[in-house]
Amino acid sequence: MSSDSSVPTAPLSLTRVEMQALGDRALAMVIDHFEHIRQERTHDSMPREEAVSLLQTPLAEQPVSPDVLLDTLARHVFPKGFRTDHPRFYAFVPSPTNFVSVVGDLLTSGHNLFAGYWFAASGAAQIELTVLEWLQRACGYGEGAGGIFLSGGSMANLSAIVAAREARLGAHDARAVVYYPDQTHSSVSKALRVLGFSKAQRRMVATTDDFRLDVGALEAAIATDRANGMRPFCVVANAGTTNTGAVDPLHDIADLSEREGLWLHVDGAYGAAAVLHPRGKAALSGLERADSITLDPHKWLFQPYELGCLLVRDARHLHHAFRVSDDDHADYLADVARHTYEDVNFFDRGIQLTRSFKALKLWLSLRTFGLAAFRGAIQVGFDVADFAQQWLEASGQWDIVTPSQMGIVSFRWRGEGLSDAQVDALTARTADRMREDGYATIMSTILRGRPTFRVCPIHWDANVGEMAEALTRLTRFAVEETARA
Ligand SMILES: Cc1ncc(COP(=O)(O)O)c(C=O)c1O
């Protein structure tokens, strides 16, 4: 697109001036986003027809000015969705980012290192290993532990089950069974389906009143399966469920897993990062006994998508499950194959061959801000969730379903004089009103069959004043909907 005819250009090249101008404009957009997000709605959307009319274009032969394209993105794309990085986005598990990591992403794609094997990017591999070691140690793992950065929790859970199957069974077995509590994230049962486990091999286990795995029920299920000739080999426990932040009784589950010879995988996609904070560390006692742990930096470690992580107590299990073997006939990797295990080829630890330098942004931000700042950022989530619980209790109009734990509170409209079914319907209408309002995003989930609100205010810039305002609005909408019930 060079307009400077004195500069010879290859088809996709820009001059330095053009690169600078485009980069400056894009960077300014991102800085504006960081500066003004608080003044914006937490979510917005548009109907499909509008999106088609604005964004569906033919792929033109001729160039278009990137300024025009950036305008389109700024007006019709970036504002139209959930602002999961907004300080008042309290739904799901938010993904608050930080500017340093955003710059990290720019550097990652700008340099495009191939972080699949050691001598293709040895410095990058060492940084990934260093960051993995920080996380391993934080989770209580010692010598011999290892891991890999992946796209997110879904990939980490799937990879963990592959490693567990390889370690405990050596091959797929139609009698193999995996156990997980009924509060487990859907990515686990989806991973099992993808890996070829039938419904009879996916054993969902009941939870107790506090939404934590019922260890007695797990023990009974294992005994029944063994009696029926099945092969129990893996338990998935939670270190912070998506619904309520519940942490399963990790020590009891680890004891049982050891007795039964089962692989214990702990899904801490969102919760395990809290191990960097004393309160989280206390709540997560027993995490260190897991054979593998999912921990997503793109959740409570404030990184942009897509950054998940799988940690394994014994790194050799990842290697056994994922190494490129002779059977794979990767002839073009012959020169790589001569290298030693100590070199660490990440393509031997996970599914991907080509992978980006994923840990750069986490390394850059952890080092730039320091661990104390991250601990403080995690503390905000605990504090604002505690405040939300106190506010809801003081209101006298809401029932706390689960108290503040791992930065999540769940609650239901008391609806004096209304039936459960009426409160269910009212919850849905109140959620709609909240979405239309746009000040904050608070959504419902289903707990024990009943629609229930939840908040997960884990943004490092969340505050109690805005939480109070959001809950005030939610209460007003619930009161108005009650009057109509
Ligand atoms: C507990 C838990 N596990 C797994 C996942 C899936 O992670 P991802 O969406 O990064 O694939 C989530 C997502 O919120 C989660 O909360």
Side-chain angles (χ1 to χ4, degrees):
M1 70 158 246
S2 175
S3 54
D4 180 355
S5 57
S6 67
V7 181
T9 56
L12 304 183
S13 71
L14 301 183
T15 65
R16 184 175 183 101
V17 171
E18 289 166 336
M19 285 193 274
Q20 189 75 55
L22 179 55
D24 284 350
R25 168 98 204 269
L27 195 60
M29 283 169 68
V30 175
I31 293 172
D32 280 347
H33 172 68
F34 270 82
E35 275 202 338
H36 302 309
I37 189 162
R38 175 155 252 134
Q39 284 79 55
E40 290 170 14
R41 291 170 60 87
T42 53
H43 52 254
D44 205 349
S45 192
M46 62 180 156
R48 180 71 199 265
E49 315 82 71
E50 190 184 338
V52 168
S53 74
L54 290 168
L55 300 171
Q56 189 157 314
T57 60
L59 176 55
E61 287 287 338
Q62 296 310 315
V64 179
S65 157
D67 276 329
V68 171
L69 301 175
L70 292 189
D71 282 343
T72 301
L73 291 169
R75 289 179 55 202
H76 305 307
V77 177
F78 294 138
K80 299 293 178 188
F82 283 137
R83 298 309 207 43
T84 61
D85 56 347
H86 193 297
R88 296 189 302 274
F89 189 90
Y90 306 136
F92 309 123
V93 177
S95 298
T97 65
N98 73 88
F99 187 74
V100 173
S101 291
V102 170
V103 172
D105 261 348
L106 174 68
L107 292 168
T108 298
S109 57
H111 290 84
N112 206 33
L113 287 175
F114 176 95
Y117 63 88
W118 184 260
F119 72 77
S122 44
Q126 184 51 55
I127 283 190
E128 296 221 310
L129 288 171
T130 300
V131 181
L132 284 167
E133 196 182 305
W134 294 342
L135 298 178
Q136 287 156 207
R137 282 189 193 283
C139 290
Y141 279 174
E143 284 299 305
I148 183 166
F149 288 102
L150 298 160
S151 57
S154 302
M155 279 307 296
N157 285 338
L158 185 142
S159 304
I161 293 163
V162 174
R165 181 170 63 182
E166 184 68 27
R168 292 294 189 267
L169 307 175
H172 194 68
D173 183 334
R175 293 166 305 150
V177 186
V178 178
Y179 302 82
Y180 48 94
D182 60 23
Q183 293 298 303
T184 303
H185 191 268
S186 58
S187 58
V188 170
S189 72
K190 189 184 199 177
L192 289 168
R193 272 192 288 125
V194 170
L195 293 171
F197 289 88
S198 69
K199 211 165 179 186
Q201 297 177 278
R202 309 194 297 264
R203 193 79 66 240
M204 190 184 272
V205 182
T207 48
T208 46
D209 286 349
D210 53 4
F211 299 95
R212 301 163 81 221
L213 176 70
D214 180 337
V215 182
L218 172 61
E219 195 162 10
I222 294 169
T224 305
D225 284 333
R226 286 206 198 281
N228 290 332
M230 301 298 276
R231 286 183 76 188
F233 80 99
C234 177
V235 181
V236 179
N238 293 299
T241 62
T242 319
N243 269 342
T244 67
V247 178
D248 289 323
L250 299 178
H251 282 294
D252 294 345
I253 301 169
D255 289 342
L256 179 59
S257 302
E258 278 167 20
R259 279 201 307 275
E260 296 283 346
L262 310 186
W263 179 286
L264 172 57
H265 174 64
V266 174
D267 181 3
Y270 114 82
V275 81
L276 295 173
H277 186 281
R279 177 165 163 183
K281 196 170 176 56
L284 295 167
S285 175
L287 185 64
E288 68 286 353
R289 297 180 61 190
D291 291 289
S292 54
I293 301 168
T294 290
L295 185 165
D296 278 357
H298 70 201
K299 295 187 170 75
W300 215 353
L301 273 183
F302 315 108
Q303 303 301 307
Y305 305 128
E306 300 176 356
L307 193 59
C309 172
L310 174 63
L311 304 174
V312 185
R313 189 141 49 93
D314 181 344
R316 288 172 303 183
H317 289 307
L318 275 187
H319 196 257
H320 290 148
F322 291 107
R323 75 185 177 285
V324 178
S325 77
D326 292 345
D327 291 353
D328 299 323
H329 297 290
D331 302 333
Y332 32 81
L333 296 178
D335 292 344
V336 181
R338 283 198 295 278
H339 279 248
T340 62
Y341 172 71
E342 283 68 37
D343 279 351
V344 183
N345 298 321
F346 281 109
F347 69 55
D348 278 333
R349 289 188 175 195
I351 291 169
Q352 285 176 271
L353 175 62
T354 300
R355 59 186 293 284
S356 63
F357 179 9
K358 288 190 162 302
L360 187 160
K361 56 189 169 189
L362 183 55
W363 175 83
L364 195 67
S365 53
L366 277 168
R367 298 219 53 190
T368 299
F369 291 112
L371 183 54
F374 273 80
R375 194 176 299 116
I378 292 169
Q379 167 98 41
V380 173
F382 282 127
D383 289 347
V384 179
D386 287 350
F387 171 83
Q389 179 185 338
Q390 288 153 17
W391 192 100
L392 291 159
E393 283 168 345
S395 77
Q397 288 166 296
W398 297 95
D399 289 322
I400 300 295
V401 178
T402 54
S404 170
Q405 53 187 350
M406 304 296 277
I408 295 181
V409 185
S410 66
F411 50 99
R412 188 167 150 93
W413 186 241
R414 190 165 295 166
E416 226 70 79
L418 299 181
S419 67
D420 275 343
Q422 282 174 310
V423 176
D424 292 351
L426 183 150
T427 300
R429 289 200 304 275
T430 304
D432 290 345
R433 296 280 305 277
M434 201 66 197
R435 195 174 55 248
E436 285 154 20
D437 179 70
Y439 174 77
T441 298
I442 298 179
M443 293 171 71
S444 64
T445 186
I446 310 286
L447 291 176
R448 303 279 180 250
R450 292 281 167 218
T452 305
F453 280 110
R454 64 187 280 292
V455 287
C456 180
I458 59 167
H459 197 298
W460 46 266
D461 204 15
N463 66 49
V464 297
E466 290 180 341
M467 176 57 81
E469 175 61 24
L471 293 175
T472 301
R473 291 183 193 214
L474 188 76
T475 304
R476 189 170 78 234
F477 300 142
V479 167
E480 288 169 8
E481 293 304 323
T482 302
R484 284 190 206 138

